[in-house]
Amino acid sequence: MAFQQGALQAALRHAVSSSAFYCETIGDLMARDAPLDAFPVLTKRALMENFDRIVTDRRLNRHLVEGHLSGEGAGSLLLGEYRTVATGGTTGERGVAVYDRAAWLAAIANMARFQAIVGIDETTRSIAIFASSPLHISYHVGAELRQIRQPAPPFNVLMPLEEIVEGLNLSQPEVISTYPSFVRVLAGEQKEGRLRIKPRLFRTSAETLTEAVRELAAETWQAAIADSYVCTEAGPMGHECIFGDGLHLAEDSFFFEVVDENDRPVPDGVEGAKLLVTTLTNRVLPLVRYEVSDIVAMATEPCPCGLPFWRIGSIAGRREETLVLPQQGGGTVRVHAHRLRSPLTGMAGVRQFQFVQLPDGLEVVIAVFEGVDAGAVTVDVEEAVRAALDGVGAEPAELRVRVVDEIERSGAGAKQKLVAAAPARQP
């Protein structure tokens, strides 16, 4: 705690002395020795609108960073020293970030030590299946970690599934790191007999991990899942230990606050409306009370593993994944999509699913496995979703299920959106 407080004060002093934006917005607060919870919250939109005044290297600006990311050299260091990444696939709000050398080294070190706590070292046969784009942080973290691990094929989630299955059958990895939605895809391939692997562990990231996916991994491979917590703008922030009972947070690299909609702190064990993150290592792009729209609750008890870091007890999802639906008896009710996905996660025949908000109802988009009776699956999906909606008092005027060949992944991270915007109406 003393180390974290010292690092926090050093980070805040640096931000005020080196960033025009922070000098203006928190300089007086620092001079008055105001508590951190009196400081303003920084949203992604505000970060992007004020990017040129937030960065502490005057050679940098948003136009330069965006130009670098859109060019052929996106995977290289900007100005020979800064790692650049982009985000926006989940929330729809695009953002860019830069890391100086020390911050990037801290990011890789955090991920390496997180993996060590679940038994992954340089001898482990480990394969990552994440983004293919050098714009995304998972691409760069994976590239760095491959330099200190046994050689592994460079898979990504946009490759043909047949190619991934063949490569995994040949490699026989002990550990697979990927998105929770792709664990479901691999489980389907294993059950169909095309995939024949025996991993002991899956590491997941970037999408919300549900108990249903954990159970699917245990049922299919007798494998555990260890979830990780990464924010593109801040870096690897947390990871589960072998007990799988919450995400241990890197409190020596970040300061975390769980707050309600009015930015007031909530007690441990209570879900907040957002998580605020203050970075302690990145001197070129300081983030002070940066808003992450995850609905999280902190744990209330220490973890049996003995790690000193406090942990997030649960992540329900993002605010952007909340649906507003007609309520039984009148009015509307807010339903987080995670309440609807659980009955679909283990449903036979369903390969992918996504929810689309309609003006007075809900559309469920599904892709099914080859050879499956799509009509029968459609009926099962509709019944399961109706039952889940009824359980939370929602009564949409329209509920429809649409079958597609494939639900495309979005953004630089190639994540699968749980909730998608409704297509624009044709004139």
Side-chain angles (χ1 to χ4, degrees):
M1 183 65 72
F3 176 88
Q4 185 191 50
Q5 285 297 323
L8 174 62
Q9 291 304 311
L12 294 175
R13 288 194 298 269
H14 168 76
V16 170
S17 64
S18 304
S19 163
F21 175 82
Y22 286 120
C23 180
E24 177 184 308
T25 56
I26 67 172
D28 288 345
L29 292 166
M30 282 290 292
R32 291 190 278 111
D33 201 25
L36 185 63
D37 60 13
F39 288 25
V41 169
L42 179 68
T43 64
K44 182 184 285 188
R45 180 167 298 180
L47 173 62
M48 290 301 98
E49 290 176 349
N50 297 280
F51 188 89
D52 298 2
R53 300 177 63 243
I54 291 177
V55 290
T56 60
D57 185 333
R58 294 180 181 177
R59 296 175 297 167
L60 293 174
N61 57 65
R62 193 181 69 184
H63 178 74
L64 178 68
V65 174
E66 290 178 337
H68 180 73
L69 287 169
S70 62
E72 293 182 1
S76 63
L77 296 176
L78 175 61
L79 302 178
E81 56 180 309
Y82 296 123
R83 176 64 63 200
T84 60
V85 289
T87 182
T90 302
T91 65
E93 186 94 31
R94 186 173 183 274
V96 297
V98 292
Y99 290 79
D100 58 33
R101 292 183 186 277
W104 187 247
L105 181 61
I108 301 305
N110 274 332
M111 186 56 77
R113 70 172 173 174
F114 289 154
Q115 293 188 13
I117 70 174
V118 289
I120 302 173
D121 59 23
E122 65 279 1
T123 68
T124 305
R125 297 193 312 279
S126 178
I127 283 179
I129 313 173
F130 282 115
S132 61
S133 170
L135 276 64
H136 197 257
I137 191 169
S138 67
Y139 173 94
H140 294 288
V141 171
E144 297 274 7
L145 293 177
R146 280 196 294 272
Q147 300 302 312
I148 57 175
R149 300 278 163 79
Q150 292 191 26
F155 293 133
N156 69 75
V157 291
L158 299 182
M159 292 171 60
L161 184 57
E162 297 80 5
E163 187 176 336
I164 295 175
V165 167
E166 181 182 2
L168 291 176
N169 285 336
L170 289 172
S171 303
Q172 289 297 312
E174 302 170 60
V175 178
I176 298 175
S177 301
T178 190
Y179 302 127
S181 60
F182 206 71
V183 173
R184 293 188 63 253
V185 173
L186 295 179
E189 293 298 305
Q190 185 88 12
K191 289 180 178 180
E192 291 295 322
R194 292 183 288 269
L195 183 63
R196 298 175 298 278
I197 57 175
K198 298 178 181 179
R200 63 173 175 82
L201 177 70
F202 283 86
R203 288 186 55 259
T204 56
S205 185
E207 300 168 356
T208 303
L209 174 65
T210 64
E211 284 303 313
V213 172
R214 289 189 195 275
E215 292 168 3
L216 186 62
E219 173 193 332
T220 307
W221 296 283
Q222 294 75 56
I225 292 185
D227 201 24
S228 60
Y229 195 34
V230 180
C231 171
T232 298
E233 301 92 321
M237 301 191 302
H239 204 287
E240 289 184 326
C241 67
I242 56 174
F243 288 94
D245 187 25
L247 292 142
H248 291 272
L249 296 169
E251 294 179 291
D252 50 355
S253 296
F254 306 94
F255 189 90
F256 300 96
E257 304 168 79
V258 180
V259 298
D260 63 18
E261 291 180 350
N262 297 310
D263 302 327
R264 296 173 300 199
V266 301
D268 290 348
V270 176
E271 284 187 354
K274 46 192 158 179
L275 178 70
L276 305 182
V277 180
T278 299
T279 55
L280 307 182
T281 59
N282 195 347
R283 292 301 191 251
V284 70
L285 183 65
L287 300 178
V288 178
R289 305 196 83 202
Y290 184 63
E291 179 182 307
V292 179
S293 61
D294 289 331
I295 302 171
V296 309
M298 297 299 287
T300 57
E301 300 291 339
C303 183
C305 76
L307 284 172
F309 301 125
W310 205 239
R311 68 196 192 282
I312 291 176
S314 65
I315 302 179
R318 287 184 174 271
R319 289 199 310 273
E320 294 83 5
E321 295 173 342
T322 300
L323 303 159
V324 180
L325 299 170
Q327 187 174 23
Q328 296 170 3
T332 60
V333 60
R334 297 173 66 85
V335 181
H336 199 281
H338 79 90
R339 293 185 177 274
L340 308 180
R341 68 181 162 203
S342 294
L344 304 188
T345 298
M347 183 171 288
V350 177
R351 184 164 59 87
Q352 294 174 291
F353 57 85
Q354 189 175 72
F355 302 104
V356 179
Q357 173 86 67
L358 301 177
D360 57 354
L362 178 69
E363 178 181 71
V364 185
V365 183
I366 63 171
V368 301
F369 286 102
E370 184 178 353
V372 168
D373 183 343
V377 173
T378 296
V379 172
D380 291 344
V381 167
E382 182 174 345
E383 289 180 352
V385 172
R386 282 194 185 279
L389 291 174
D390 186 65
V392 295
E395 190 174 32
E398 180 180 12
L399 173 60
R400 64 185 187 224
V401 180
R402 178 163 59 94
V403 180
V404 298
D405 293 335
E406 184 83 15
I407 296 176
E408 293 186 0
R409 293 178 175 270
S410 61
K415 303 174 189 177
Q416 183 175 309
K417 279 190 174 183
L418 180 61
V419 176
R425 292 187 176 183
Q426 297 299 318

